[in-house]
Amino acid sequence: MAKRTLSRLFLSLALPAAVLAAPAQAAPDLERGRYLAEIMDCGGCHTRGVMLGKPDMALFLAGSEVGFHLPGLGIVYPPNLTPDAETGLGTWSEDDIIRAVRTGERPDGRILAPIMPWRSYAALTDEDSRDLAAYLKSLPPVTWREEPQMVGEGQKAPGPFLTVAMP
Ligand code: HEC
């Protein structure tokens, strides 16, 4: 009896200590997320005007009007990454964003064209991925209904594009 009380006492003391000792998941570092978005050049593709030499920084990461033509595949446009529920990533969880950035897989299962450099981003650490995804979620949402949508090879281009040769 005494033994049982003792072990119960031990348990009740040990539990909070274990909770305290567990590596607490630190709150995401939004400043580091911004820094990562900058050095990984997300804005170089996902911001209007950049590919025309006139970046519109008020629309940073809100999608590009210039697409990439991948011969044999079609034309893809860098989408709106701001958390707008209708035209951006508002309905994506942070895990959805991390999966797309590191494996190219969208929540609907489609694999992104490799011009989106997810093969290079596959090496991003868990912590950096979390900071990056949280940063995207913290952006002011921008609604962009006219954003050009991807088309298959041979279909009419909905907007300007660059043709790129992929290895
Ligand atoms: C070289 C240009 C380029 C760079 C750099 C780039 N992307 Fe992309 N990204 C694209 C293109 C093009 C697509 C659309 C591909 C498709 O639809 O198959 C895309 C798609 C995405 C998607 C899927 C969104 C959706 O609605 O389907 C996410 C998320 C994304 N990029 C995040 C990022 C992040 C975060 C960075 C920086 C770490 C980044 N991208 C850097 C070109 C780029």
Side-chain angles (χ1 to χ4, degrees):
M1 182 66 194
K3 204 171 160 199
R4 197 179 302 152
T5 316
L6 209 65
S7 61
R8 206 172 284 154
L9 184 71
F10 176 73
L11 261 182
S12 62
L13 286 177
L15 213 63
V19 168
L20 283 177
Q25 182 147 330
D29 182 342
L30 297 181
E31 186 49 35
R32 181 161 176 83
R34 189 197 58 76
Y35 161 80
L36 289 167
E38 203 137 291
I39 63 168
M40 293 166 79
D41 201 25
C42 314
C45 288
H46 288 270
T47 302
R48 259 175 272 179
V50 169
M51 284 186 265
L52 302 173
K54 287 187 211 131
D56 187 343
M57 295 319 274
L59 297 176
F60 186 56
L61 297 180
S64 171
E65 76 280 63
V66 180
F68 294 97
H69 171 219
L70 309 167
L73 273 179
I75 308 173
V76 287
Y77 290 85
N80 181 358
L81 302 182
T82 73
D84 180 58
E86 206 187 321
T87 65
L89 302 184
T91 60
W92 291 35
S93 68
E94 291 187 10
D95 284 344
D96 290 338
I97 295 176
I98 293 171
R99 193 172 316 110
V101 170
R102 292 201 299 203
T103 72
E105 189 181 347
R106 285 168 34 106
D108 64 5
R110 181 168 76 80
I111 304 295
L112 297 167
I115 185 71
M116 157 65 195
W118 51 267
R119 290 189 177 129
S120 310
Y121 298 157
L124 204 63
T125 66
D126 290 348
E127 201 176 347
D128 282 347
S129 305
R130 268 200 309 273
D131 293 344
L132 178 64
Y135 167 68
L136 293 181
K137 282 289 194 184
S138 78
L139 290 169
V142 175
T143 308
W144 188 23
R145 294 204 177 80
E146 304 74 35
E147 178 172 348
Q149 300 298 312
M150 62 182 286
V151 291
E153 185 70 1
Q155 284 179 279
K156 188 178 174 321
F161 58 85
L162 306 168
T163 296
V164 287
M166 296 291 295

